[in-house]
Amino acid sequence: AYRIVLCGKGEEQASLERFVDKHKLHNKVTFTGFVSESEKADYLASADIAVFPSTGGESFGIVLIEAMASGASVVLGGDNSGYRSVMGERQEQLFDPHNSAAFSALLKTYIESEDARNAAYNWQQKFVEQFDVAVVGNKLLHIYKDAIAKKTKNDDN
């Protein structure tokens, strides 16, 4: 059994809603509309496969990192430069959002293969550790300490 939850609003929503109506998929597909940050975290945490088909305009794939950190089992993203910058080691989790057949094949892989899902999840959980506030905070603290030390040394000369 599956359930598809489409969060947010976009240009394709009306078309997708008509598709769901035409194919009588109301019991399988839910449209949430806009979701708050707390709702977003809950939706991402509950996702077996979280899909972000953005076609561009993503300077950095923060939404992919949010999905991973929230505990989404598998995160798939549209192949754009921002998402590529995040998924560098896992290019196989990127797809051309204009190629439905290729996307379907990729989705099928992660639906049918527990090994593929586990490999993706394990990599994701390790990968997001570098974005933890304690890690980032310590890096920033060291940068500031080094800058202050250099300034103090230069002022003393």
Side-chain angles (χ1 to χ4, degrees), residues 46-145:
S46 71
D48 291 322
I49 302 173
V51 180
F52 302 90
S54 299
T55 57
E58 306 293 335
S59 60
F60 184 70
I62 193 70
V63 69
L64 304 181
I65 293 168
E66 289 174 333
M68 292 175 199
S70 294
S73 295
V74 175
V75 175
L76 304 177
D79 191 3
N80 63 64
S81 60
Y83 290 177
R84 234 178 285 120
S85 70
V86 171
M87 302 301 285
E89 293 178 37
R90 296 288 297 188
Q91 295 292 306
E92 65 270 23
Q93 287 177 240
L94 295 173
F95 61 93
D96 177 352
H98 300 291
N99 185 336
S100 299
F103 170 64
S104 296
L106 180 65
L107 194 55
K108 182 179 181 193
T109 296
Y110 286 101
I111 289 170
E112 293 180 348
S113 174
E114 184 176 355
D115 288 343
R117 289 191 306 275
N118 288 339
Y121 179 78
N122 291 336
W123 176 82
Q124 292 167 185
Q125 292 308 295
K126 183 75 175 150
F127 177 74
V128 295
E129 289 175 1
Q130 68 184 303
F131 301 102
D132 186 85
V133 70
V135 173
V136 174
N138 281 329
K139 287 180 182 178
L140 289 173
L141 195 57
H142 289 295
I143 290 168
Y144 279 109
K145 284 181 178 179

